[in-house]
Amino acid sequence: MKIFKLNTTGTVSKWFLCILTSLPLGGLGWALTSCSDMLETDSSRQNIEPEIAEKTDSLFYTFGIMQAMQQLADQYVFQGEMRGDLVATTKYTDNNLRQLANFTATSANKYDSAYVYYRVINNCNYYIKNRNTELYTGATNVVINEYAAVKALRAWAYLQLGRNYERVPFFTEPLTKISQIDGNSFPQLTLTEIVAQLAPDLEQYTGMSVPAYGLTSGHNIGSPNWESTQKQFEPRRCFVPVDVILGDMYLEAGEYANAARHFTVYLTQVAGTYTSSLLLAPMRSKSLSSGRFGADADSDLPDDSQIRTIISTNPAWASVFGRNPTAANDIITYIPMAVNRQNGQTTDVPLAFGFNYYATTEESSDVGLREPYMSEIQIKASDALNLLSDSTEYYYYSIGGQQACDSIRIAMAGDMRLRSVIQQSLVGDSTMQWIDKYKYANIVLYRTSTVLLHLAEAFNRLGYPDAAFAILKDGISENLLTYADYISDETKQMLRTTYPLLSDENIYLFPYASACGIHCHGAGKAASDFGISSYLTGSSPYTMKRMVGKKMEQIANTYGVNVAYTKQDTINAVEDLLCDEYALEFAFEGNRYFDLCRLARHKNAESPAGYPASFGYLWMQKKLEGRGWEPSKMFLPFN
């Protein structure tokens, strides 16, 4: 074995040394696991990489990129959740996680590594530099979708760097030699500057779908011993569609028109090419049909606790996080982790939430449950999340004396989403709770729900808060143009033309029959009946006027500001409703801290008149109260 000894003093940074990679050796490419073995070559192994210029052998390289994505999966989740307001530590919490949670993490923190993102970037750079893009079968270019998808993954990795660090070295050439590193002068870019560098190039691939790789299952990704059914792996869901990453990049940079444009392209031109279900109800809330309760008079209506017990959870929504995402078309991009160390990269995320995914048949739960739930839970739902979930109104049909639903009522039963991903058991004198979103070791990056809510965020900041609220309440459907009395004529015209979701060409994609607002996933009958339901119930209590008014009152009381009910006040209030929806829909998925940072920037730049300067930071400090956050701690130390 030949080991290169390098002088790491001077301008050569530790992370630069770590991302130097040899060409793939035998297996799935770039499968090295630490800085120490990056510059080692094993003379007993044969270097047998296939030709990247061939039509099919590039899979060897793209799977190598996927392996690099696996190596950053844990850090992605922990960086995004531990610094947010939706999780809390316990006495068992690993100190690295605790430091992230209280904003004391140093460059020595296990989960503060720019290297894991640069490893993806450098692998992508190598592919982009060397891939032959002029390969055709007949008139069809057989590589361009894959080429664009790799560029999108590189952009995703750079976006994570920009979110976590104030400035980062930027390069698009593959680093394979020490001479490329020594005395380098790579520019140090902010998030906004990264977007400016990468977005123009990605624009040429708008409207492209990801490579249509097939479904994979078998011993390489089989199930843990305690599971009887194999875990399947769908390679095409390991890529980020170009228009999704462009939409996200522009949203982060405050370029709302561009963000809305690309999310619209994704929904109308791309998504249908590899999902089999209609887009607006990727996981239609079962509570719409089960949330009906018979009563002959108001006095006979069940109380909130009874309703909560009857509804219990929303298993349809929770199935998104099941073993095989192929059954849940809500998932756009995910990182599937190996089921054991012999088969590849594993993850510590399930264990942090108290679930031993890698338990064998001989191992059992230490709290007496059939599945391997453990007592040493490191991460739990925060009081803030529990309060938000429990205080959310649940809307249900009330059945009159003739068994016809005659109204939609409110129960303070809470939102069903958090409850549906919590496993709860009485252990001794205490009730323990475990979060099941990672029970099958899939790290979700994007869902259709993400695109819809991010589109709502862009619409809101563009001055269309009614369109944003429609995504919460009714989804985007043809009936917004005819029955939704809260939608302005200007917004209807926008949905037909500027962002043509409901144009004559696209309206067939969004029929009312499958429309469902995101809030319906956990809050029951929030959607409108539009006068065409078989139930003559009138309007749901979840209306724009009522919910925005309640949020404005909350903002005034919390921040001591004078809410004047201007359009800017409405935009700010709808943005806070979106922030709450992000919490209910995406808790624990690795998004929360970055959502808070982005929304704080929006508020700093465009707060209503009379609000304090840098209102976004005041807002964020309130969200993270007691955690030690301040603007100077927005970013992690670059490592």
Side-chain angles (χ1 to χ4, degrees):
M1 177 180 293
K2 179 169 65 175
I3 303 177
F4 294 93
K5 299 295 185 182
L6 298 173
N7 180 359
T8 60
T9 61
T11 60
V12 182
S13 301
K14 173 187 173 184
W15 67 267
F16 269 134
L17 297 181
C18 289
I19 62 173
L20 273 179
T21 63
S22 62
L23 292 177
L25 296 175
L28 281 180
W30 293 288
L32 305 175
T33 58
S34 69
C35 294
S36 61
D37 62 11
M38 273 287 183
L39 296 175
E40 297 182 9
T41 59
D42 189 340
S43 59
S44 66
R45 299 178 67 189
Q46 184 180 3
N47 192 342
I48 53 171
E49 73 273 6
E51 278 293 331
I52 199 169
E54 298 300 321
K55 289 183 180 181
T56 58
D57 284 344
S58 64
L59 279 174
F60 184 90
Y61 294 86
T62 56
F63 274 36
I65 297 169
M66 292 176 190
Q67 282 193 319
M69 290 289 288
Q70 286 182 316
Q71 292 170 5
L72 63 76
D74 286 14
Q75 177 168 299
Y76 168 78
V77 173
F78 292 143
Q79 284 181 338
E81 289 304 320
M82 297 311 298
R83 292 182 289 166
D85 59 332
L86 307 182
V87 302
T89 58
T90 73
K91 64 181 179 180
Y92 300 111
T93 304
D94 175 87
N95 196 47
N96 291 287
L97 298 179
R98 195 180 305 277
Q99 289 172 358
L100 287 175
N102 60 26
F103 295 92
T104 61
T106 67
S107 59
N109 190 280
K110 176 181 178 180
Y111 300 110
D112 177 13
S113 172
Y115 151 63
V116 295
Y117 295 111
Y118 278 113
R119 184 168 200 160
V120 171
I121 290 165
N122 205 37
N123 279 276
C124 291
N125 284 346
Y126 182 87
Y127 173 98
I128 293 164
K129 175 75 172 180
N130 294 283
R131 185 60 167 137
N132 181 355
T133 60
E134 297 298 322
L135 298 174
Y136 290 83
T137 296
T140 302
N141 187 315
V142 296
V143 299
I144 197 65
N145 289 66
E146 183 184 87
Y147 186 76
V150 170
K151 284 192 171 184
L153 275 180
R154 179 177 67 179
W156 179 88
Y158 264 124
L159 182 63
Q160 308 320 306
L161 286 170
R163 285 169 163 172
N164 280 295
Y165 305 105
E166 189 168 11
R167 288 185 174 275
V168 296
F170 181 87
F171 54 94
T172 55
E173 287 290 316
L175 303 183
T176 58
K177 302 175 183 177
I178 296 298
S179 59
Q180 293 174 281
I181 295 175
D182 225 353
N184 73 84
S185 57
F186 299 127
Q188 304 277 323
L189 302 188
T190 64
L191 187 152
T192 303
E193 291 167 340
I194 287 170
V195 172
Q197 285 289 322
L198 293 177
D201 176 63
L202 283 172
E203 286 283 1
Q204 64 186 303
Y205 307 108
T206 184
M208 283 190 180
S209 61
V210 298
Y213 300 148
L215 181 68
T216 303
S217 64
H219 69 278
N220 285 336
I221 45 172
S223 61
N225 291 335
W226 58 269
E227 277 290 349
S228 60
T229 304
Q230 284 187 328
K231 177 179 177 181
Q232 296 174 321
F233 161 50
E234 194 168 11
R236 65 186 179 186
R237 294 185 194 268
C238 296
F239 292 105
V240 182
V242 168
D243 287 287
V244 170
I245 190 60
L246 275 171
D248 245 20
M249 292 169 73
Y250 285 129
L251 190 63
E252 290 282 353
E255 297 183 39
Y256 308 119
N258 281 331
R261 174 168 59 88
H262 283 287
F263 291 138
T264 299
V265 169
Y266 173 76
L267 291 170
T268 57
Q269 299 180 32
V270 180
T273 63
Y274 69 100
T275 60
S276 59
S277 65
L278 294 167
L279 302 171
L280 271 292
M283 203 41 62
R284 188 174 177 86
S285 173
K286 295 299 183 184
S287 59
L288 298 189
S289 58
S290 64
R292 302 173 188 161
F293 307 96
D296 292 331
D298 286 351
S299 60
D300 296 325
L301 287 171
D303 63 26
D304 294 345
S305 62
Q306 290 174 306
I307 292 175
R308 184 181 297 114
T309 300
I310 295 168
I311 301 168
S312 182
T313 63
N314 183 355
W317 177 82
S319 70
V320 167
F321 310 101
R323 181 188 302 107
N324 297 320
T326 54
N329 282 310
D330 193 40
I331 291 183
I332 297 171
T333 308
Y334 80 130
I335 305 173
M337 304 303 290
V339 297
N340 56 55
R341 289 170 180 82
Q342 286 70 42
N343 286 332
Q345 187 72 31
T346 58
T347 173
D348 290 332
V349 174
L351 193 62
F353 286 101
F355 186 81
N356 187 5
Y357 176 71
Y358 299 105
T360 65
T361 51
E362 291 75 27
E363 296 172 318
S364 62
S365 166
D366 66 2
V367 291
L369 299 179
R370 182 188 71 83
E371 293 177 353
Y373 293 99
M374 313 305 293
S375 61
E376 295 187 358
I377 301 169
Q378 298 183 60
I379 306 174
K380 64 179 183 179
S382 68
D383 290 343
L385 178 57
N386 283 316
L387 177 61
L388 174 64
S389 180
D390 291 344
S391 62
T392 298
E393 297 172 345
Y394 187 88
Y395 310 103
Y396 67 98
Y397 284 116
S398 173
I399 300 176
Q402 302 302 314
Q403 296 298 301
C405 296
D406 61 5
S407 65
I408 300 173
R409 297 179 182 270
I410 297 172
M412 294 309 300
D415 191 275
M416 296 300 123
R417 282 168 285 190
L418 179 59
R419 190 168 291 109
S420 69
V421 293
I422 283 181
Q423 177 68 232
Q424 183 168 294
S425 180
L426 183 64
V427 180
D429 296 330
S430 303
T431 298
M432 299 188 70
Q433 293 184 340
W434 299 268
I435 305 299
D436 274 356
K437 277 195 174 181
Y438 293 102
K439 185 176 176 181
Y440 297 102
N442 291 327
I443 310 299
V444 177
L445 303 184
Y446 286 104
R447 303 199 266 124
T448 303
S449 297
T450 318
V451 171
L452 290 169
L453 285 175
H454 284 188
L455 175 61
E457 186 180 324
F459 277 165
N460 186 49
R461 281 293 168 181
L462 282 169
Y464 302 103
D466 49 350
F469 190 80
I471 289 172
L472 295 179
K473 178 177 174 62
D474 294 311
I476 298 172
S477 83
E478 56 188 323
N479 291 290
L480 294 182
L481 301 181
T482 53
Y483 292 104
D485 57 6
Y486 63 94
I487 302 292
S488 71
D489 290 341
E490 180 186 9
T491 296
K492 291 175 183 178
Q493 182 67 10
M494 176 271 288
L495 292 171
R496 290 191 190 101
T497 57
T498 312
Y499 306 104
L501 293 154
L502 301 179
S503 67
D504 291 343
E505 294 77 17
N506 295 326
I507 198 168
Y508 77 95
L509 294 168
F510 310 111
Y512 169 70
S514 65
C516 175
I518 300 294
H519 200 61
C520 298
H521 290 178
K525 189 65 176 79
S528 303
D529 277 336
F530 289 125
I532 57 176
S533 170
S534 58
Y535 306 115
L536 302 178
T537 59
S539 298
S540 169
Y542 186 76
T543 64
M544 182 172 179
K545 181 178 180 180
R546 179 170 172 269
M547 302 314 295
V548 169
K550 289 180 65 174
K551 183 58 73 174
M552 285 182 175
E553 182 179 353
Q554 183 185 74
I555 291 168
N557 292 336
T558 301
Y559 302 102
V561 296
N562 180 28
V563 176
Y565 295 89
T566 64
K567 188 168 187 178
Q568 280 303 113
D569 282 299
T570 299
I571 289 170
N572 185 61
V574 169
E575 190 167 76
D576 278 21
L577 289 173
L578 290 170
C579 183
D580 290 347
E581 203 67 35
Y582 287 153
L584 296 168
E585 182 74 17
F586 302 128
F588 320 120
E589 294 179 38
N591 306 314
R592 186 57 173 180
Y593 183 70
F594 307 120
D595 287 340
L596 294 179
C597 290
R598 184 179 66 253
L599 296 179
R601 290 196 301 272
H602 293 351
K603 294 176 186 297
N604 279 344
E606 300 181 47
S607 288
Y611 281 46
S614 300
F615 173 69
Y617 290 154
L618 175 65
W619 175 87
M620 192 161 172
Q621 280 180 315
K622 193 68 177 177
K623 289 286 186 185
L624 299 173
E625 198 167 25
R627 299 279 298 281
W629 184 88
E630 55 189 41
S632 64
K633 296 182 179 180
M634 179 74 79
F635 300 104
L636 288 169
F638 185 81
N639 179 29

